[in-house]
Amino acid sequence: MPFNQLSCRLALLGLAALLAGCGSQSGSSSSNSSVSGGLAQGGSGYQAPAPADRSAATAQTSRAASNAVLQARGDQKVIQDATMGIQIKSGSFWNSYNKAVAIADQFNGYLVSSQVGDVSGKETDAGSVVVAVPASSYADALSALRQLGKATQLQVTSQDVSGEYVDLQSRLRNQQAQQAVLLDLMRRAQTISDSIAVQNQLSSVTGQIEQIQGRIRFLDQRTTYSTITVRLFTMAPAPAQPSLWDRSGLATSWATAGHAFTAVVGGMLVVSGFLLPFALLLLLGLGIWRLLPVSLRPTLRRPTSA
């Protein structure tokens, strides 16, 4: 194939990609409006484009029609998340934790993550469990998890990504069509320079296709399964009110007197412990002296006066 003809085809392909990108951006803004305001609001805010933008307007109209068909079929792509706080009885944390995991398994869900305990080694009385359940069982699983204890907090969020999903599918088809054209040009390239020029554009288009496919897989996962975060905790017991005896101050005085008495007794014991060895030696010497015969007992001589 002559190089000039290949260059013309690449130029036309680049122009088509530019027009498709403009149409995708316009479609994204239209889908965002549909998510926040509904399909009717998105339609009422639509303005007829200028004749120069007929290609972008055609792509936008096609995506709007696809979005309407998607919603009319009841196939909206909605991301649902919930966070709840459950007060449980003291000492029942692990039982409630296992029940939460069992509820997720009951509705064909799974455990996403959990945060329990700390390095102190104390008894666990609080933690969080994150589970994912099918969107069709989201309400039933939420109701079952509320039965674990006393629900003190509930936060539910929903995000409609139907417009973005349709827009991604349209962009994916456009990029795949460009990829097919580039692959055909790659097969027909007769020189190394032509092959390199086509390969550079093919790499860019392939990267965009992988990025779009990754986003679609993410939306499929997040809309097929809903996430529920359960925070389990126990309420600390209320402090006991001081009695009349404590409030009068007599308890403090009595405690002070008890401490003083204990200190005196302790001092006496210390002194007794110090003198006890000497007393035992004295008693031992006196016993030995009494056991000796009288003739062998030492006598104490009184000093004689001169």
Side-chain angles (χ1 to χ4, degrees):
M1 176 185 294
F3 180 74
N4 293 334
Q5 186 177 1
L6 179 62
S7 301
C8 291
R9 289 196 178 188
L10 290 177
L12 291 176
L13 184 62
L15 180 59
L18 180 60
L19 292 177
C22 295
S24 299
Q25 293 179 358
S26 178
S28 298
S29 61
S30 176
S31 63
N32 290 337
S33 175
S34 174
V35 169
S36 60
L39 182 62
Q41 293 182 7
S44 62
Y46 176 81
Q47 295 181 357
D53 298 331
R54 288 181 180 178
S55 299
T58 303
Q60 180 180 357
T61 304
S62 177
R63 278 187 294 273
S66 300
N67 193 12
V69 172
L70 181 68
Q71 295 187 7
R73 291 179 178 177
D75 296 333
Q76 291 97 333
K77 295 291 183 178
V78 180
I79 298 176
Q80 300 179 106
D81 296 310
T83 301
M84 64 172 59
I86 302 294
Q87 180 182 344
I88 58 178
K89 295 181 180 179
S90 178
S92 64
F93 173 82
W94 286 113
N95 185 31
S96 302
Y97 176 92
N98 294 331
K99 286 183 179 179
V101 177
I103 290 173
D105 184 68
Q106 173 187 352
F107 291 99
N108 299 322
Y110 58 92
L111 175 66
V112 177
S113 64
S114 63
Q115 183 178 0
V116 179
D118 51 29
V119 297
S120 64
K122 297 180 180 179
E123 182 180 359
T124 303
D125 57 0
S128 61
V129 183
V130 182
V131 297
V133 296
S136 57
S137 305
Y138 171 69
D140 294 334
L142 201 62
S143 177
L145 289 170
R146 282 201 301 265
Q147 306 304 319
L148 293 175
K150 180 181 178 182
T152 60
Q153 179 255 343
L154 176 62
Q155 180 180 0
V156 178
T157 59
S158 298
Q159 180 184 2
D160 190 348
V161 294
S162 303
E164 180 185 0
Y165 192 83
V166 173
D167 181 70
L168 288 172
Q169 289 180 327
S170 177
R171 290 170 53 192
L172 179 61
R173 287 191 295 269
N174 291 337
Q175 295 296 329
Q176 289 174 340
Q178 293 182 36
Q179 185 184 45
V181 173
L182 290 172
L183 288 174
D184 183 63
L185 291 177
M186 177 72 74
R187 287 191 295 268
R188 296 183 182 183
Q190 298 179 354
T191 63
I192 297 179
S193 59
D194 294 346
S195 178
I196 292 176
V198 176
Q199 188 174 4
N200 290 335
Q201 288 199 15
L202 182 61
S203 299
S204 176
V205 171
T206 302
Q208 294 182 21
I209 289 177
E210 293 177 352
Q211 183 179 4
I212 294 173
Q213 288 176 338
R215 179 63 179 175
I216 290 177
R217 286 193 298 269
F218 172 78
L219 293 180
D220 283 336
Q221 172 67 20
R222 292 291 285 114
T223 55
T224 303
Y225 283 86
S226 300
T227 303
I228 303 176
T229 302
V230 183
R231 306 185 189 278
L232 303 171
F233 65 94
T234 57
M235 185 65 68
Q241 296 294 331
S243 62
L244 179 61
W245 172 263
D246 294 330
R247 294 197 301 268
S248 64
L250 294 177
T252 304
S253 301
W254 181 260
T256 304
H259 291 317
F261 176 78
T262 303
V264 172
V265 173
M268 295 175 62
L269 291 176
V270 171
V271 174
S272 299
F274 176 77
L275 297 178
L276 182 60
F278 298 101
L280 291 176
L281 290 175
L282 181 61
L283 292 175
L284 181 60
L286 180 60
I288 295 174
W289 180 78
R290 298 190 61 177
L291 292 176
L292 290 176
V294 177
S295 58
L296 297 178
R297 293 177 182 177
T299 57
L300 295 177
R301 295 183 179 182
R302 298 179 181 179
T304 57
S305 56

